[in-house]
């Protein structure tokens, strides 16, 4: 067992971190991590874009296609019933993972982007009108900006942007000043993909509720790094994607408060979301099916449940504690590199090391790191407004998961030093 694995398993007396999992075992669960890229052991540090999948998720999907493959909800035959049972059991797994009141409040979408669009098109179009204000923040992902901008053009709502400071902290006081009786909706990330900032989401929600506004939380990044309890948060909507939490692509979740989901009109229409269809009129299905038109991503849903079970077995608190230690280590090691500046050093941060190096373009750096087997992301991270705020067009971003180790960070630092020597 290597040093990092040893630490992750046992902890060291001098570092009282609450890490209680076997890192080596965890790493061996992820087949993609065990490969060479450009002749080097792969170091995967692009988890903010998408995470790798454990064998348990891959096996679950394979077993579904090998044994149970069929359409859900409509079939009388055995395979369809098995598929339906697994599909609906997965909904309960999601419900319990985020502590939703009921599984009827778990809507399957194809990802965070679709979850946000669902709320923009169904809730906001039905319940907001011209002049109403929607607050987002400077550090939102494009998928939590553009749907609201379209509503600005289409129904005349006004988009208001809550500021951050130069370290990437969400400015709660400034945000509170923006709230008024005109504020009808707030949509804010719980963890910024570009900066790693953890926002004070509970306080954001509480302040919005004080003026009667509803709140959507973009949990795309947070879901894999922090405990999420939608009832404790008291959010009105919560969105996340499976592929950011060790589960398949093409599957996501929208949680909503029951009375809101009940009142909302359907988003897409077709099969499964109806009760009775006739040419004189159609009635819609109960929750959650009202929002799930057409054949769903059955394997994706079942795979998502396997991914969430995997995370639950390790424990999100263990994951968060270990990643905090890795983040601190990475922040320290990167700070030793000459000319490197961190973009985003919020007081409360997770999983993201976003940086720039004087005289080195991020995309050149990313290419040279790939030649050394190190996968990071370079660019604007679908968050161009926050790049503009920091006066940069791109950053290099290493984003961590619990299968990363201190050795991965050491490899990153060594590879950066080598790349910088070549580029300067
Ligand atoms: N919000 C945030 C904060 C994200 O990081 C992402 C994905 N990078 C999204 C939304 C969109 O997620 P998806 O592409 O899975 O729909």
């Amino acid at each position: 067992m290597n040093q990092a694995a040893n630490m992750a398993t046992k902890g060291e007396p001098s570092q009282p971190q609450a890490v209680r999992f076997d890192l080596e075992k965890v790493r061996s669960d992820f087949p993609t991590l065990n490969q060479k890229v450009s002749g080097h052991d792969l170091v995967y540090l692009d988890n903010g874009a998408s995470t790798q999948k454990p064998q348990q998720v891959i096996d679950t999907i394979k077993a579904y296609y090998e044994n149970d493959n069929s359409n859900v909800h409509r079939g009388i035959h055995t395979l369809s019933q098995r598929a339906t049972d697994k599909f609906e059991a997965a909904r309960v797994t999601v419900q319990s993972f985020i502590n939703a009141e009921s599984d009827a409040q778990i809507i399957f979408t194809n990802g965070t982007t679709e979850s946000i669009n669902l709320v923009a098109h169904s809730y906001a179009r039905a319940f907001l009108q011209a002049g109403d204000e929607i607050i987002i923040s400077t550090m939102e992902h494009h998928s939590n900006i553009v749907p609201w901008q379209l509503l600005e053009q289409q129904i005349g709502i006004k988009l208001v942007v809550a500021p951050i400071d130069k370290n990437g902290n969400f400015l709660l006081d400034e945000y509170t000043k923006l709230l008024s009786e005109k504020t009808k909706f707030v949509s804010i990330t719980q963890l910024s993909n570009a900066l790693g900032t953890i926002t004070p989401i509970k306080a954001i929600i509480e302040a919005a509720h004080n003026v009667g506004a509803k709140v959507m939380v973009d949990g795309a990044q947070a879901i894999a790094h922090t405990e999420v309890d939608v009832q404790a948060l008291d959010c009105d909507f919560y969105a996340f994607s499976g592929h950011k939490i060790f589960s398949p692509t093409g599957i996501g979740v929208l949680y909503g408060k029951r009375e809101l989901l009940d009142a909302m009109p359907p988003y897409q229409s077709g099969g499964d979301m109806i009760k009775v269809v006739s040419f004189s009129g159609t009635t819609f299905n109960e929750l959650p099916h009202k929002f799930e038109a057409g054949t769903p991503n059955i394997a994706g849903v079942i795979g998502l449940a396997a991914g969430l079970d995997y995370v639950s077995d390790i424990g999100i608190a263990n994951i968060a504690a270990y990643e905090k230690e890795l983040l601190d280590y990475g922040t320290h090691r990167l700070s030793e590199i000459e000319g490197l500046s961190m973009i985003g050093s919020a007081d409360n941060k997770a999983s993201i090391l976003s940086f720039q190096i004087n005289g080195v373009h991020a995309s050149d750096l990313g290419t040279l790191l790939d030649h050394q087997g190190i996968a990071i992301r370079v660019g604007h991270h679908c968050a161009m407004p926050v790049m503009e705020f920091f006066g940069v067009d791109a950053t290099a971003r290493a984003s961590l998961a619990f299968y990363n180790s201190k050795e991965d960070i050491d490899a990153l630092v060594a590879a950066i030093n080598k790349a910088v020597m070549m580029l300067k």
Side-chain angles (χ1 to χ4, degrees):
M1 183 179 279
N2 64 25
Q3 200 194 343
N6 205 22
M7 276 177 47
T9 314
K10 296 181 187 140
E12 283 182 351
S14 56
Q15 294 175 320
Q17 72 279 9
V19 178
R20 298 286 178 272
F21 62 89
D22 182 340
L23 182 56
E24 200 164 275
K25 158 78 176 68
V26 160
R27 286 175 78 90
S28 71
D29 284 338
F30 289 81
T32 34
L33 294 179
N34 184 21
Q35 63 176 291
K36 296 221 182 270
V37 169
S38 311
H40 300 264
D41 286 341
L42 169 66
V43 173
Y44 188 78
L45 293 168
D46 194 18
N47 299 288
S50 204
T51 55
Q52 299 304 331
K53 320 306 173 202
Q55 193 64 50
Q56 290 82 339
V57 168
I58 298 165
D59 288 348
T60 300
I61 294 169
K62 187 163 173 275
Y64 163 73
Y65 279 124
E66 283 175 352
N67 303 313
D68 308 317
N69 176 56
S70 189
N71 212 328
V72 288
H73 298 143
R74 292 182 277 268
I76 189 81
H77 61 82
T78 301
L79 262 59
S80 175
Q81 282 173 9
R82 266 198 242 138
T84 303
D85 288 348
K86 289 193 169 167
F87 184 83
E88 290 305 329
R91 205 187 296 278
V92 176
T93 302
V94 177
Q95 174 204 345
S96 121
F97 194 80
I98 61 171
N99 194 31
E101 297 87 333
S102 127
D103 62 340
Q105 291 160 266
I106 304 300
I107 315 292
F108 290 122
T109 63
N110 64 27
T112 306
T113 303
E114 191 182 29
S115 298
I116 297 173
N117 274 278
L118 193 163
V119 173
H121 289 281
S122 172
Y123 179 82
R125 269 174 187 278
F127 297 107
L128 269 60
Q129 52 199 19
D132 288 346
E133 293 182 357
I134 296 183
I135 300 184
I136 58 169
S137 83
T138 310
M139 61 187 148
E140 298 310 317
H141 187 278
H142 296 161
S143 67
N144 196 26
I145 300 174
V146 186
W148 311 115
Q149 274 180 334
L150 285 178
L151 284 188
E152 208 167 22
Q153 292 163 16
Q154 291 163 354
I155 63 168
I157 59 101
K158 185 166 173 249
L159 202 52
V160 176
V161 182
I164 58 174
D165 70 14
K166 62 181 185 354
N167 292 325
N169 289 301
F170 183 88
L171 294 171
L172 194 58
D173 287 349
E174 299 303 313
Y175 156 77
T176 309
K177 285 183 208 153
L178 297 172
L179 292 164
S180 73
E181 74 284 353
K182 285 195 196 149
T183 314
K184 296 292 183 239
F185 204 85
V186 171
S187 192
I188 302 274
T189 189
Q190 192 177 2
L191 201 176
S192 155
N193 66 310
L195 309 176
T197 306
I198 297 177
T199 57
I201 199 69
K202 201 163 158 45
I204 290 171
I205 294 166
E206 218 173 281
H209 285 170
N210 286 341
V211 298
K214 305 296 182 209
V215 185
M216 168 138 204
V217 179
D218 173 352
Q221 294 293 331
I223 194 73
H225 305 286
T226 60
E227 198 160 344
V228 173
D229 179 333
V230 290
Q231 292 188 70
L233 286 177
D234 195 27
C235 56
D236 298 288
F237 299 103
Y238 194 96
F240 70 91
S241 304
H243 71 101
K244 310 263 191 202
I245 182 158
F246 318 104
S247 301
T249 47
I251 185 65
V253 169
L254 172 68
Y255 157 85
K257 282 196 178 150
R258 181 152 207 151
E259 65 274 18
L260 299 177
L261 293 174
D262 270 334
M264 283 157 60
Y267 165 56
Q268 291 187 338
S269 46
D272 241 27
M273 53 75 70
I274 50 80
K275 217 175 236 163
V276 178
V277 177
S278 84
F279 289 121
S280 57
T282 289
T283 52
F284 302 121
N285 209 335
E286 307 290 328
L287 289 175
H289 310 294
K290 181 172 95 174
F291 291 108
E292 294 177 358
T295 301
N297 180 356
I298 304 164
V301 165
I302 294 171
L304 171 62
L308 297 183
D309 281 343
Y310 185 89
V311 169
S312 296
D313 282 350
I314 293 174
I316 200 88
N318 288 334
I319 289 173
Y322 176 59
E323 287 181 356
K324 171 83 177 85
E325 189 193 326
L326 269 189
L327 185 74
D328 289 348
Y329 182 71
T331 306
H332 171 68
R333 290 293 330 268
L334 288 176
S335 74
E336 294 170 342
I337 295 174
E338 213 189 295
L340 184 145
S341 42
M342 199 60 77
I343 307 291
S345 337
D347 301 337
N348 198 5
K349 241 191 106 168
S351 72
I352 305 277
L353 294 156
S354 205
F355 56 90
Q356 257 214 329
I357 299 177
N358 274 345
V360 174
H361 198 274
S363 57
D364 295 335
L365 180 65
T367 305
L368 288 183
L369 293 190
D370 183 52
H371 293 166
Q372 298 177 70
I374 298 184
I376 62 158
R377 177 136 304 223
V378 296
H380 53 61
H381 316 294
C382 295
M384 285 165 97
V386 82
M387 295 290 118
E388 196 185 329
F389 174 82
F390 281 98
V392 297
D393 61 350
T395 72
R397 183 189 73 180
S399 50
L400 308 169
F402 62 89
Y403 44 58
N404 289 124
S405 64
K406 289 185 179 175
E407 279 86 347
D408 288 347
I409 290 176
D410 292 340
L412 170 72
V413 170
I416 293 174
N417 283 327
K418 200 165 160 191
V420 169
M421 265 173 35
M422 290 168 80
L423 288 167
K424 275 194 172 170

